[in-house]
Amino acid sequence: QKEVEQDPGPLSVPEGAIVSLNCTYSNSAFQYFMWYRQYSRKGPELLMYTYSSGNKEDGRFTAQVDKSSKYISLFIRDSQPSDSATYLCAMSLSGGYQKVTFGTGTKLQVIP
Amino acid sequence: GAVVSQHPSRVICKSGTSVKIECRSLDFQATTMFWYRQFPKQSLMLMATSNEGSKATYEQGVEKDKFLINHASLTLSTLTVTSAHPEDSSFYICSARVSQVNTIYFGEGSWLTVV
């Protein structure tokens, strides 16, 4: 079993739809949770980061963490064609030199 | 957000030669930097963790004599691919940890093609 599981997609949605991207994980010690967006042939770009459980909203993006279920989500409202990219979830233990563990990424395509 | 600069963005080298990739944190000090490799349509594979002033920690299966990592300052880490072979052709990405928020920012990546 992988430490972080993420559906690779691809996920195709019409423009304006609400997108839900999800990851599950097995290590209950993870404390920091992140979502990255990666366009083709580019480095990942940090979208959201959250500490422990709860919700965080930033513009059209909302990140949710449910530590009891070991489940995190990223919601994109009013999706745009420019949101078409691969979305990577990531998580790490608290502090120090702990490395970040990534999901395999979900490829999203928003169709105009 | 924090800016991480990676150079060169693309490099082509001949088989048997060495190539150096630089990773710089432009507006913050990074005590820890990470080097990844990404194959087409696959996720990031962590190669090594680079700590300023000490030897890098390599992941299992990564040859430390082939992928030399140096983190000489709080803003610069370098990856040198020695005696490159065509199978080393890949997308190499660095990232740097921002201590205050315990998250990482990525560079733009470097495409290495060994011919």
Side-chain angles (χ1 to χ4, degrees):
Chain A
Q1 181 190 9
K2 290 182 181 178
E3 212 167 6
V4 178
E5 298 276 0
Q6 185 175 9
D7 188 334
L11 177 63
S12 293
V13 301
E15 183 176 355
I18 296 175
V19 176
S20 173
L21 303 166
N22 311 295
C23 286
T24 58
Y25 61 95
S26 57
N27 188 347
S28 59
F30 284 132
Q31 295 282 356
Y32 292 85
F33 303 90
M34 292 148 277
W35 285 95
Y36 289 87
R37 177 174 62 194
Q38 185 176 23
Y39 291 112
S40 181
R41 305 170 77 88
K42 294 287 188 180
E45 169 195 10
L46 179 67
L47 283 177
M48 304 280 284
Y49 69 90
T50 54
Y51 171 68
S52 196
S53 285
N55 294 358
K56 185 174 184 178
E57 186 175 322
D58 184 1
R60 295 185 296 113
F61 299 92
T62 300
Q64 285 187 352
V65 175
D66 182 350
K67 291 193 69 182
S68 63
S69 302
K70 299 191 187 70
Y71 187 88
I72 68 171
S73 300
L74 177 70
F75 297 96
I76 307 174
R77 292 183 298 280
D78 189 24
S79 56
Q80 303 294 312
S82 58
D83 295 328
S84 298
T86 296
Y87 290 79
L88 299 156
C89 65
M91 44 202 79
S92 69
L93 307 178
S94 57
Y97 294 115
Q98 299 293 345
K99 66 182 182 184
V100 176
T101 302
F102 287 88
T104 52
T106 299
K107 186 172 183 179
L108 171 67
Q109 184 177 17
V110 180
I111 302 168
Chain B
V3 178
V4 177
S5 173
Q6 196 170 332
H7 178 81
S9 57
R10 291 180 179 274
V11 59
I12 301 173
C13 70
K14 290 185 178 180
S15 186
T17 62
S18 295
V19 60
K20 180 185 288 188
I21 301 170
E22 293 186 347
C23 180
R24 293 180 185 274
S25 57
L26 296 185
D27 52 0
F28 66 98
Q29 293 183 332
T31 54
T32 307
M33 289 185 173
F34 304 88
W35 287 95
Y36 299 84
R37 186 172 180 177
Q38 188 176 34
F39 293 100
K41 299 184 180 180
Q42 294 188 29
S43 190
L44 304 163
M45 183 193 80
L46 179 65
M47 298 174 66
T49 302
S50 167
N51 299 312
E52 186 268 336
S54 63
K55 291 184 178 180
T57 302
Y58 290 81
E59 296 298 303
Q60 191 174 5
V62 177
E63 299 176 61
K64 61 181 180 181
D65 294 330
K66 180 168 184 61
F67 299 99
L68 300 178
I69 292 172
N70 183 277
H71 194 159
S73 77
L74 287 172
T75 59
L76 174 65
S77 177
T78 60
L79 167 68
T80 302
V81 182
T82 62
S83 186
H85 291 283
E87 57 265 30
D88 298 325
S89 299
S90 188
F91 189 47
Y92 292 89
I93 311 174
C94 72
S95 68
R97 178 181 291 279
V98 181
S99 303
Q100 294 88 337
V101 295
N102 199 35
T103 189
I104 61 174
Y105 289 87
F106 284 87
E108 282 288 293
S110 299
W111 283 98
L112 170 63
T113 302
V114 184
V115 298

